[in-house]
Amino acid sequence: MASQQLGLGILAAGVRSHDRVANLFYAGEMYGSFLLHVLSIMDLTIPLVHLPIGGSCTPETTIQYMRESSATIVFSTVTTLIKLAEYLLERQEIMPGIRVLMFSGEAFYEDQRSRVSQAFPGAKIRSLIYGSIDAGALGYSASETDSRLHAVSSPYVILEIAPDGFTSTKATGVPGSVLVTNIGRRLQPVIRYPSGDLAEWVDYEKGVFRVLGRDTIGVRVGPVSIDTKHLRQVVTSALGVSGDLGAFQAVISRANMRDVLTLRVGYRPTDEDATRTAITTALYDARPMFLDHVQRGLIGPLQIEFLAVESFKISSTTGKLAELVDERPTV
């Protein structure tokens, strides 16, 4: 049933007869996406060509396979799409033959869209599916222009949005944690399972909701708490750009007996020192407590690195980029 639901989601996302689908998800090591989408393609009643490239190839090899096979659709994580876009743009190349880029497993931020669109100028960017291994397929893509919009996928799925984490709301435009009940899983039903995401209702009666990204992921640097969403907002605001931030990652480490926060930024400024100062000033202005603790010697000064996506900490089994990396030694 899972593969059938995924197949319906693929159709909703824009797959058409005779498309050539480049499957760039990771396979093996108990990770499910690659195989699930092989099965979902098999369950469709329309003719498709499946290109089982996988997620372990280098960007150069992946692009080569896609070109040789005249791929028209891409199934991928966001991190892989960013890698491919950077590879193409560094060589001043594009792939106009890709019709739709379909992602899942990670949030696709607006500050990433411009860079990917430059490399794939003819492609729409759509959510492949909204769901999880634990809770199943939960929402299908519901818009060609807003990849965050989804419609509840099945009568067996009850999706709740809870602003306080417990009490659900039917109100439009009110952000809350996503809780999922899937009674279609009869052997082990999923009851009010927290997906780890934030969303808001667009049309409750029609089951249409907008995914707003991951629920708060707290960064604890010494006694100072801050969430990764706020850190990303500070960085994009300081950069003064809306579309060229390829990736973002917060890293916590230890140095000189103090916690140190390092922001890895997928951006290449013309003046690194000036940009680093702008980001640091923006964070210190937004979080005076952080600056106070730096000045008191309780935590280390903010560190900022401008890196290509390949240099970020990325899961070797899923290809996903972790927004928070804790490198502190265990107690």
Side-chain angles (χ1 to χ4, degrees):
M1 188 171 78
S3 61
Q4 292 174 347
Q5 289 181 324
L6 284 170
L8 294 174
I10 291 169
L11 292 176
V15 167
R16 299 292 178 259
S17 294
H18 302 100
D19 269 326
R20 306 173 73 84
V21 181
N23 185 349
L24 306 187
F25 284 112
Y26 280 63
E29 299 191 47
M30 305 300 287
Y31 190 63
S33 283
F34 183 87
L35 178 59
L36 280 173
H37 288 299
V38 171
L39 297 175
S40 67
I41 290 173
M42 292 173 62
D43 273 331
L44 293 179
T45 57
I46 62 173
L48 294 175
V49 176
H50 177 239
L51 309 174
I53 298 172
S56 300
C57 298
T58 64
E60 178 183 10
T61 302
T62 300
I63 293 296
Q64 178 184 342
Y65 286 148
M66 289 167 60
R67 282 176 168 155
E68 289 177 350
S69 304
S70 300
T72 59
I73 301 287
V74 177
F75 291 179
S76 176
T77 62
V78 175
T79 301
T80 296
L81 291 179
I82 293 294
K83 283 184 179 181
L84 296 180
E86 286 200 348
Y87 175 86
L88 289 169
L89 294 176
E90 283 175 359
R91 290 155 181 79
Q92 298 183 333
E93 299 175 7
I94 60 173
M95 288 194 69
I98 302 298
R99 194 170 61 77
V100 189
L101 300 169
M102 298 183 182
F103 69 92
S104 69
E106 298 174 275
F108 201 120
Y109 292 98
E110 288 302 311
D111 52 42
Q112 297 170 321
R113 182 176 297 272
S114 174
R115 192 155 184 80
V116 172
S117 294
Q118 290 174 45
F120 302 94
K124 294 178 181 177
I125 299 173
R126 298 195 64 166
S127 170
L128 178 57
I129 196 76
Y130 175 68
S132 70
I133 295 297
D134 295 318
L138 308 176
Y140 297 154
S141 176
S143 171
E144 290 190 356
T145 56
D146 187 345
S147 60
R148 300 173 299 168
L149 281 184
H150 297 79
V152 176
S153 59
S154 164
Y156 297 109
V157 171
I158 302 169
L159 189 140
E160 300 175 72
I161 295 176
D164 62 357
F166 302 97
T167 308
S168 61
T169 181
K170 299 179 181 179
T172 299
V174 178
S177 301
V178 176
L179 305 178
V180 182
T181 297
N182 190 338
I183 58 177
R185 298 195 164 189
R186 289 175 291 179
L187 291 177
Q188 188 175 358
V190 176
I191 309 296
R192 302 201 85 200
Y193 177 85
S195 74
D197 293 321
L198 292 174
E200 63 185 12
W201 287 115
V202 174
D203 188 328
Y204 176 81
E205 297 301 326
K206 294 182 179 179
V208 178
F209 59 98
R210 179 180 287 109
V211 179
L212 302 176
R214 296 297 289 171
D215 212 337
T216 298
I217 302 175
V219 178
R220 185 83 172 180
V221 187
V224 182
S225 295
I226 187 170
D227 65 76
T228 55
K229 185 176 181 180
H230 186 201
L231 285 172
R232 189 183 188 108
Q233 290 171 344
V234 167
V235 170
T236 54
S237 176
L239 293 177
V241 295
S242 60
D244 286 336
L245 182 59
F248 171 81
Q249 191 169 71
V251 182
I252 310 174
S253 57
R254 292 282 292 177
N256 300 319
M257 297 184 292
R258 297 178 297 177
D259 283 356
V260 178
L261 173 62
T262 300
L263 301 183
R264 292 174 178 163
V265 183
Y267 180 75
R268 298 181 179 180
T270 54
D271 187 333
E272 284 198 11
D273 290 338
T275 306
R276 189 174 285 110
T277 299
I279 295 173
T280 302
T281 301
L283 178 60
Y284 288 171
D285 287 346
R287 296 302 299 265
M289 182 180 178
F290 194 103
L291 173 59
D292 176 64
H293 281 64
V294 169
Q295 292 173 335
R296 291 164 59 187
L298 301 178
I299 60 177
L302 178 68
Q303 303 297 308
I304 300 167
E305 300 174 347
F306 300 105
L307 305 172
V309 180
E310 287 79 5
S311 300
F312 282 63
K313 179 70 174 180
I314 296 173
S315 169
S316 60
T317 57
T318 67
K320 298 178 184 178
L321 183 146
E323 290 190 342
L324 175 61
V325 177
D326 194 335
E327 297 180 343
R328 291 173 292 191
T330 57
V331 179

PDB file of all heavy atoms in Angstrom, residues 29-60:
ATOM      1  N   GLU A  29      21.950   0.201   3.481  1.00  0.00           N
ATOM      2  CA  GLU A  29      22.139   0.596   4.879  1.00  0.00           C
ATOM      3  C   GLU A  29      20.812   0.949   5.548  1.00  0.00           C
ATOM      4  O   GLU A  29      20.708   1.896   6.329  1.00  0.00           O
ATOM      5  CB  GLU A  29      23.135   1.750   4.997  1.00  0.00           C
ATOM      6  CG  GLU A  29      24.515   1.369   4.469  1.00  0.00           C
ATOM      7  CD  GLU A  29      25.572   2.396   4.826  1.00  0.00           C
ATOM      8  OE1 GLU A  29      25.628   2.817   5.999  1.00  0.00           O
ATOM      9  OE2 GLU A  29      26.333   2.787   3.933  1.00  0.00           O
ATOM     10  N   MET A  30      19.770   0.199   5.194  1.00  0.00           N
ATOM     11  CA  MET A  30      18.436   0.306   5.807  1.00  0.00           C
ATOM     12  C   MET A  30      17.708   1.599   5.445  1.00  0.00           C
ATOM     13  O   MET A  30      16.720   1.960   6.076  1.00  0.00           O
ATOM     14  CB  MET A  30      18.514   0.178   7.345  1.00  0.00           C
ATOM     15  CG  MET A  30      19.192  -1.082   7.832  1.00  0.00           C
ATOM     16  SD  MET A  30      18.349  -2.580   7.275  1.00  0.00           S
ATOM     17  CE  MET A  30      16.893  -2.537   8.327  1.00  0.00           C
ATOM     18  N   TYR A  31      18.176   2.314   4.436  1.00  0.00           N
ATOM     19  CA  TYR A  31      17.502   3.537   4.024  1.00  0.00           C
ATOM     20  C   TYR A  31      16.505   3.199   2.932  1.00  0.00           C
ATOM     21  O   TYR A  31      16.824   2.477   1.978  1.00  0.00           O
ATOM     22  CB  TYR A  31      18.517   4.575   3.535  1.00  0.00           C
ATOM     23  CG  TYR A  31      17.918   5.946   3.325  1.00  0.00           C
ATOM     24  CD1 TYR A  31      17.372   6.647   4.391  1.00  0.00           C
ATOM     25  CD2 TYR A  31      17.880   6.525   2.063  1.00  0.00           C
ATOM     26  CE1 TYR A  31      16.819   7.897   4.207  1.00  0.00           C
ATOM     27  CE2 TYR A  31      17.327   7.782   1.878  1.00  0.00           C
ATOM     28  CZ  TYR A  31      16.799   8.457   2.954  1.00  0.00           C
ATOM     29  OH  TYR A  31      16.236   9.692   2.768  1.00  0.00           O
ATOM     30  N   GLY A  32      15.272   3.732   3.025  1.00  0.00           N
ATOM     31  CA  GLY A  32      14.181   3.226   2.214  1.00  0.00           C
ATOM     32  C   GLY A  32      13.834   3.956   0.939  1.00  0.00           C
ATOM     33  O   GLY A  32      13.160   3.393   0.078  1.00  0.00           O
ATOM     34  N   SER A  33      14.239   5.226   0.780  1.00  0.00           N
ATOM     35  CA  SER A  33      13.663   6.043  -0.288  1.00  0.00           C
ATOM     36  C   SER A  33      13.921   5.505  -1.691  1.00  0.00           C
ATOM     37  O   SER A  33      13.033   5.501  -2.536  1.00  0.00           O
ATOM     38  CB  SER A  33      14.184   7.480  -0.199  1.00  0.00           C
ATOM     39  OG  SER A  33      13.527   8.164   0.837  1.00  0.00           O
ATOM     40  N   PHE A  34      15.145   5.058  -1.975  1.00  0.00           N
ATOM     41  CA  PHE A  34      15.460   4.595  -3.325  1.00  0.00           C
ATOM     42  C   PHE A  34      14.551   3.429  -3.720  1.00  0.00           C
ATOM     43  O   PHE A  34      13.899   3.460  -4.761  1.00  0.00           O
ATOM     44  CB  PHE A  34      16.930   4.168  -3.402  1.00  0.00           C
ATOM     45  CG  PHE A  34      17.360   3.744  -4.783  1.00  0.00           C
ATOM     46  CD1 PHE A  34      17.825   4.685  -5.695  1.00  0.00           C
ATOM     47  CD2 PHE A  34      17.298   2.416  -5.184  1.00  0.00           C
ATOM     48  CE1 PHE A  34      18.223   4.302  -6.972  1.00  0.00           C
ATOM     49  CE2 PHE A  34      17.681   2.032  -6.458  1.00  0.00           C
ATOM     50  CZ  PHE A  34      18.141   2.981  -7.351  1.00  0.00           C
ATOM     51  N   LEU A  35      14.491   2.408  -2.881  1.00  0.00           N
ATOM     52  CA  LEU A  35      13.691   1.229  -3.194  1.00  0.00           C
ATOM     53  C   LEU A  35      12.205   1.561  -3.230  1.00  0.00           C
ATOM     54  O   LEU A  35      11.468   1.080  -4.098  1.00  0.00           O
ATOM     55  CB  LEU A  35      13.963   0.123  -2.179  1.00  0.00           C
ATOM     56  CG  LEU A  35      13.152  -1.170  -2.358  1.00  0.00           C
ATOM     57  CD1 LEU A  35      13.412  -1.773  -3.740  1.00  0.00           C
ATOM     58  CD2 LEU A  35      13.502  -2.176  -1.265  1.00  0.00           C
ATOM     59  N   LEU A  36      11.739   2.386  -2.296  1.00  0.00           N
ATOM     60  CA  LEU A  36      10.320   2.746  -2.283  1.00  0.00           C
ATOM     61  C   LEU A  36       9.908   3.410  -3.587  1.00  0.00           C
ATOM     62  O   LEU A  36       8.816   3.151  -4.117  1.00  0.00           O
ATOM     63  CB  LEU A  36      10.026   3.679  -1.105  1.00  0.00           C
ATOM     64  CG  LEU A  36       9.861   3.003   0.265  1.00  0.00           C
ATOM     65  CD1 LEU A  36       9.742   4.056   1.361  1.00  0.00           C
ATOM     66  CD2 LEU A  36       8.644   2.093   0.277  1.00  0.00           C
ATOM     67  N   HIS A  37      10.772   4.240  -4.130  1.00  0.00           N
ATOM     68  CA  HIS A  37      10.400   4.924  -5.366  1.00  0.00           C
ATOM     69  C   HIS A  37      10.573   4.033  -6.593  1.00  0.00           C
ATOM     70  O   HIS A  37       9.909   4.250  -7.610  1.00  0.00           O
ATOM     71  CB  HIS A  37      11.171   6.237  -5.492  1.00  0.00           C
ATOM     72  CG  HIS A  37      10.685   7.267  -4.528  1.00  0.00           C
ATOM     73  ND1 HIS A  37       9.391   7.742  -4.556  1.00  0.00           N
ATOM     74  CD2 HIS A  37      11.284   7.890  -3.485  1.00  0.00           C
ATOM     75  CE1 HIS A  37       9.231   8.620  -3.588  1.00  0.00           C
ATOM     76  NE2 HIS A  37      10.360   8.721  -2.922  1.00  0.00           N
ATOM     77  N   VAL A  38      11.433   3.031  -6.503  1.00  0.00           N
ATOM     78  CA  VAL A  38      11.456   2.010  -7.546  1.00  0.00           C
ATOM     79  C   VAL A  38      10.093   1.319  -7.592  1.00  0.00           C
ATOM     80  O   VAL A  38       9.487   1.137  -8.657  1.00  0.00           O
ATOM     81  CB  VAL A  38      12.575   0.974  -7.291  1.00  0.00           C
ATOM     82  CG1 VAL A  38      12.450  -0.196  -8.267  1.00  0.00           C
ATOM     83  CG2 VAL A  38      13.942   1.619  -7.424  1.00  0.00           C
ATOM     84  N   LEU A  39       9.597   0.938  -6.415  1.00  0.00           N
ATOM     85  CA  LEU A  39       8.310   0.238  -6.337  1.00  0.00           C
ATOM     86  C   LEU A  39       7.151   1.151  -6.721  1.00  0.00           C
ATOM     87  O   LEU A  39       6.188   0.717  -7.362  1.00  0.00           O
ATOM     88  CB  LEU A  39       8.107  -0.307  -4.921  1.00  0.00           C
ATOM     89  CG  LEU A  39       9.132  -1.349  -4.459  1.00  0.00           C
ATOM     90  CD1 LEU A  39       8.905  -1.714  -2.997  1.00  0.00           C
ATOM     91  CD2 LEU A  39       9.061  -2.594  -5.332  1.00  0.00           C
ATOM     92  N   SER A  40       7.237   2.427  -6.331  1.00  0.00           N
ATOM     93  CA  SER A  40       6.138   3.347  -6.648  1.00  0.00           C
ATOM     94  C   SER A  40       6.024   3.552  -8.148  1.00  0.00           C
ATOM     95  O   SER A  40       4.919   3.655  -8.693  1.00  0.00           O
ATOM     96  CB  SER A  40       6.341   4.689  -5.938  1.00  0.00           C
ATOM     97  OG  SER A  40       7.473   5.377  -6.447  1.00  0.00           O
ATOM     98  N   ILE A  41       7.166   3.608  -8.843  1.00  0.00           N
ATOM     99  CA  ILE A  41       7.142   3.735 -10.306  1.00  0.00           C
ATOM    100  C   ILE A  41       6.541   2.488 -10.936  1.00  0.00           C
ATOM    101  O   ILE A  41       5.757   2.556 -11.890  1.00  0.00           O
ATOM    102  CB  ILE A  41       8.565   4.001 -10.834  1.00  0.00           C
ATOM    103  CG1 ILE A  41       9.019   5.408 -10.444  1.00  0.00           C
ATOM    104  CG2 ILE A  41       8.629   3.825 -12.348  1.00  0.00           C
ATOM    105  CD1 ILE A  41      10.464   5.714 -10.771  1.00  0.00           C
ATOM    106  N   MET A  42       6.865   1.326 -10.372  1.00  0.00           N
ATOM    107  CA  MET A  42       6.327   0.072 -10.899  1.00  0.00           C
ATOM    108  C   MET A  42       4.812  -0.006 -10.728  1.00  0.00           C
ATOM    109  O   MET A  42       4.117  -0.653 -11.519  1.00  0.00           O
ATOM    110  CB  MET A  42       6.998  -1.119 -10.201  1.00  0.00           C
ATOM    111  CG  MET A  42       8.466  -1.287 -10.542  1.00  0.00           C
ATOM    112  SD  MET A  42       9.267  -2.576  -9.560  1.00  0.00           S
ATOM    113  CE  MET A  42       8.345  -4.020 -10.070  1.00  0.00           C
ATOM    114  N   ASP A  43       4.286   0.649  -9.680  1.00  0.00           N
ATOM    115  CA  ASP A  43       2.843   0.598  -9.409  1.00  0.00           C
ATOM    116  C   ASP A  43       2.033   1.540 -10.282  1.00  0.00           C
ATOM    117  O   ASP A  43       0.809   1.480 -10.286  1.00  0.00           O
ATOM    118  CB  ASP A  43       2.572   0.925  -7.933  1.00  0.00           C
ATOM    119  CG  ASP A  43       2.650  -0.317  -7.052  1.00  0.00           C
ATOM    120  OD1 ASP A  43       2.370  -1.409  -7.569  1.00  0.00           O
ATOM    121  OD2 ASP A  43       2.994  -0.190  -5.867  1.00  0.00           O
ATOM    122  N   LEU A  44       2.701   2.435 -11.016  1.00  0.00           N
ATOM    123  CA  LEU A  44       1.968   3.385 -11.844  1.00  0.00           C
ATOM    124  C   LEU A  44       1.441   2.711 -13.110  1.00  0.00           C
ATOM    125  O   LEU A  44       1.999   1.728 -13.601  1.00  0.00           O
ATOM    126  CB  LEU A  44       2.880   4.547 -12.234  1.00  0.00           C
ATOM    127  CG  LEU A  44       3.334   5.467 -11.097  1.00  0.00           C
ATOM    128  CD1 LEU A  44       4.244   6.558 -11.640  1.00  0.00           C
ATOM    129  CD2 LEU A  44       2.143   6.093 -10.399  1.00  0.00           C
ATOM    130  N   THR A  45       0.353   3.266 -13.618  1.00  0.00           N
ATOM    131  CA  THR A  45      -0.260   2.697 -14.826  1.00  0.00           C
ATOM    132  C   THR A  45       0.199   3.410 -16.088  1.00  0.00           C
ATOM    133  O   THR A  45      -0.276   3.115 -17.171  1.00  0.00           O
ATOM    134  CB  THR A  45      -1.795   2.793 -14.729  1.00  0.00           C
ATOM    135  OG1 THR A  45      -2.162   4.167 -14.537  1.00  0.00           O
ATOM    136  CG2 THR A  45      -2.307   1.962 -13.567  1.00  0.00           C
ATOM    137  N   ILE A  46       1.127   4.353 -15.953  1.00  0.00           N
ATOM    138  CA  ILE A  46       1.634   5.074 -17.127  1.00  0.00           C
ATOM    139  C   ILE A  46       3.050   4.601 -17.425  1.00  0.00           C
ATOM    140  O   ILE A  46       3.783   4.194 -16.518  1.00  0.00           O
ATOM    141  CB  ILE A  46       1.614   6.607 -16.912  1.00  0.00           C
ATOM    142  CG1 ILE A  46       2.522   7.006 -15.743  1.00  0.00           C
ATOM    143  CG2 ILE A  46       0.187   7.106 -16.685  1.00  0.00           C
ATOM    144  CD1 ILE A  46       2.680   8.505 -15.566  1.00  0.00           C
ATOM    145  N   PRO A  47       3.480   4.637 -18.680  1.00  0.00           N
ATOM    146  CA  PRO A  47       4.833   4.187 -19.032  1.00  0.00           C
ATOM    147  C   PRO A  47       5.889   5.216 -18.645  1.00  0.00           C
ATOM    148  O   PRO A  47       5.778   6.396 -18.974  1.00  0.00           O
ATOM    149  CB  PRO A  47       4.760   4.017 -20.549  1.00  0.00           C
ATOM    150  CG  PRO A  47       3.689   4.960 -20.989  1.00  0.00           C
ATOM    151  CD  PRO A  47       2.680   4.999 -19.874  1.00  0.00           C
ATOM    152  N   LEU A  48       6.898   4.747 -17.911  1.00  0.00           N
ATOM    153  CA  LEU A  48       8.008   5.599 -17.491  1.00  0.00           C
ATOM    154  C   LEU A  48       9.322   4.860 -17.692  1.00  0.00           C
ATOM    155  O   LEU A  48       9.352   3.635 -17.737  1.00  0.00           O
ATOM    156  CB  LEU A  48       7.888   5.969 -16.008  1.00  0.00           C
ATOM    157  CG  LEU A  48       6.736   6.839 -15.536  1.00  0.00           C
ATOM    158  CD1 LEU A  48       6.787   6.956 -14.025  1.00  0.00           C
ATOM    159  CD2 LEU A  48       6.812   8.210 -16.164  1.00  0.00           C
ATOM    160  N   VAL A  49      10.403   5.623 -17.775  1.00  0.00           N
ATOM    161  CA  VAL A  49      11.735   5.040 -17.764  1.00  0.00           C
ATOM    162  C   VAL A  49      12.390   5.402 -16.439  1.00  0.00           C
ATOM    163  O   VAL A  49      12.479   6.582 -16.085  1.00  0.00           O
ATOM    164  CB  VAL A  49      12.596   5.564 -18.939  1.00  0.00           C
ATOM    165  CG1 VAL A  49      14.012   5.016 -18.840  1.00  0.00           C
ATOM    166  CG2 VAL A  49      11.972   5.187 -20.269  1.00  0.00           C
ATOM    167  N   HIS A  50      12.815   4.384 -15.692  1.00  0.00           N
ATOM    168  CA  HIS A  50      13.460   4.610 -14.396  1.00  0.00           C
ATOM    169  C   HIS A  50      14.966   4.554 -14.573  1.00  0.00           C
ATOM    170  O   HIS A  50      15.506   3.580 -15.095  1.00  0.00           O
ATOM    171  CB  HIS A  50      13.000   3.551 -13.389  1.00  0.00           C
ATOM    172  CG  HIS A  50      13.677   3.670 -12.059  1.00  0.00           C
ATOM    173  ND1 HIS A  50      14.416   2.653 -11.502  1.00  0.00           N
ATOM    174  CD2 HIS A  50      13.735   4.695 -11.183  1.00  0.00           C
ATOM    175  CE1 HIS A  50      14.890   3.046 -10.334  1.00  0.00           C
ATOM    176  NE2 HIS A  50      14.493   4.275 -10.119  1.00  0.00           N
ATOM    177  N   LEU A  51      15.650   5.608 -14.142  1.00  0.00           N
ATOM    178  CA  LEU A  51      17.110   5.688 -14.226  1.00  0.00           C
ATOM    179  C   LEU A  51      17.673   5.532 -12.817  1.00  0.00           C
ATOM    180  O   LEU A  51      17.715   6.493 -12.039  1.00  0.00           O
ATOM    181  CB  LEU A  51      17.537   7.029 -14.831  1.00  0.00           C
ATOM    182  CG  LEU A  51      16.865   7.413 -16.160  1.00  0.00           C
ATOM    183  CD1 LEU A  51      17.267   8.828 -16.578  1.00  0.00           C
ATOM    184  CD2 LEU A  51      17.240   6.409 -17.243  1.00  0.00           C
ATOM    185  N   PRO A  52      18.107   4.343 -12.438  1.00  0.00           N
ATOM    186  CA  PRO A  52      18.512   4.070 -11.045  1.00  0.00           C
ATOM    187  C   PRO A  52      19.930   4.536 -10.752  1.00  0.00           C
ATOM    188  O   PRO A  52      20.832   3.751 -10.494  1.00  0.00           O
ATOM    189  CB  PRO A  52      18.386   2.547 -10.962  1.00  0.00           C
ATOM    190  CG  PRO A  52      18.713   2.077 -12.346  1.00  0.00           C
ATOM    191  CD  PRO A  52      18.174   3.137 -13.275  1.00  0.00           C
ATOM    192  N   ILE A  53      20.131   5.837 -10.733  1.00  0.00           N
ATOM    193  CA  ILE A  53      21.477   6.401 -10.545  1.00  0.00           C
ATOM    194  C   ILE A  53      21.915   6.311  -9.087  1.00  0.00           C
ATOM    195  O   ILE A  53      23.064   6.022  -8.774  1.00  0.00           O
ATOM    196  CB  ILE A  53      21.509   7.868 -11.038  1.00  0.00           C
ATOM    197  CG1 ILE A  53      21.189   7.915 -12.544  1.00  0.00           C
ATOM    198  CG2 ILE A  53      22.870   8.503 -10.766  1.00  0.00           C
ATOM    199  CD1 ILE A  53      21.005   9.312 -13.096  1.00  0.00           C
ATOM    200  N   GLY A  54      21.009   6.568  -8.170  1.00  0.00           N
ATOM    201  CA  GLY A  54      21.346   6.518  -6.756  1.00  0.00           C
ATOM    202  C   GLY A  54      22.015   7.794  -6.278  1.00  0.00           C
ATOM    203  O   GLY A  54      22.243   8.733  -7.042  1.00  0.00           O
ATOM    204  N   GLY A  55      22.351   7.800  -4.985  1.00  0.00           N
ATOM    205  CA  GLY A  55      22.890   9.021  -4.386  1.00  0.00           C
ATOM    206  C   GLY A  55      24.363   8.984  -4.065  1.00  0.00           C
ATOM    207  O   GLY A  55      24.890   9.928  -3.465  1.00  0.00           O
ATOM    208  N   SER A  56      25.051   7.911  -4.441  1.00  0.00           N
ATOM    209  CA  SER A  56      26.459   7.770  -4.056  1.00  0.00           C
ATOM    210  C   SER A  56      27.435   8.264  -5.113  1.00  0.00           C
ATOM    211  O   SER A  56      28.635   8.352  -4.852  1.00  0.00           O
ATOM    212  CB  SER A  56      26.754   6.297  -3.744  1.00  0.00           C
ATOM    213  OG  SER A  56      25.952   5.838  -2.678  1.00  0.00           O
ATOM    214  N   CYS A  57      26.957   8.569  -6.307  1.00  0.00           N
ATOM    215  CA  CYS A  57      27.844   9.024  -7.386  1.00  0.00           C
ATOM    216  C   CYS A  57      28.321  10.450  -7.120  1.00  0.00           C
ATOM    217  O   CYS A  57      27.668  11.227  -6.433  1.00  0.00           O
ATOM    218  CB  CYS A  57      27.114   8.987  -8.730  1.00  0.00           C
ATOM    219  SG  CYS A  57      26.576   7.349  -9.241  1.00  0.00           S
ATOM    220  N   THR A  58      29.440  10.800  -7.708  1.00  0.00           N
ATOM    221  CA  THR A  58      29.910  12.175  -7.663  1.00  0.00           C
ATOM    222  C   THR A  58      28.984  13.042  -8.518  1.00  0.00           C
ATOM    223  O   THR A  58      28.293  12.526  -9.417  1.00  0.00           O
ATOM    224  CB  THR A  58      31.337  12.286  -8.215  1.00  0.00           C
ATOM    225  OG1 THR A  58      31.322  11.909  -9.603  1.00  0.00           O
ATOM    226  CG2 THR A  58      32.288  11.392  -7.441  1.00  0.00           C
ATOM    227  N   PRO A  59      28.951  14.358  -8.291  1.00  0.00           N
ATOM    228  CA  PRO A  59      28.135  15.227  -9.153  1.00  0.00           C
ATOM    229  C   PRO A  59      28.492  15.073 -10.624  1.00  0.00           C
ATOM    230  O   PRO A  59      27.603  15.066 -11.476  1.00  0.00           O
ATOM    231  CB  PRO A  59      28.458  16.632  -8.636  1.00  0.00           C
ATOM    232  CG  PRO A  59      28.799  16.423  -7.195  1.00  0.00           C
ATOM    233  CD  PRO A  59      29.522  15.105  -7.148  1.00  0.00           C
ATOM    234  N   GLU A  60      29.776  14.933 -10.925  1.00  0.00           N
ATOM    235  CA  GLU A  60      30.197  14.790 -12.313  1.00  0.00           C
ATOM    236  C   GLU A  60      29.567  13.552 -12.957  1.00  0.00           C
ATOM    237  O   GLU A  60      29.026  13.612 -14.075  1.00  0.00           O
ATOM    238  CB  GLU A  60      31.723  14.681 -12.388  1.00  0.00           C
ATOM    239  CG  GLU A  60      32.259  14.486 -13.804  1.00  0.00           C
ATOM    240  CD  GLU A  60      33.770  14.321 -13.832  1.00  0.00           C
ATOM    241  OE1 GLU A  60      34.378  14.170 -12.753  1.00  0.00           O
ATOM    242  OE2 GLU A  60      34.338  14.354 -14.943  1.00  0.00           O
TER     243      GLU A  60
END
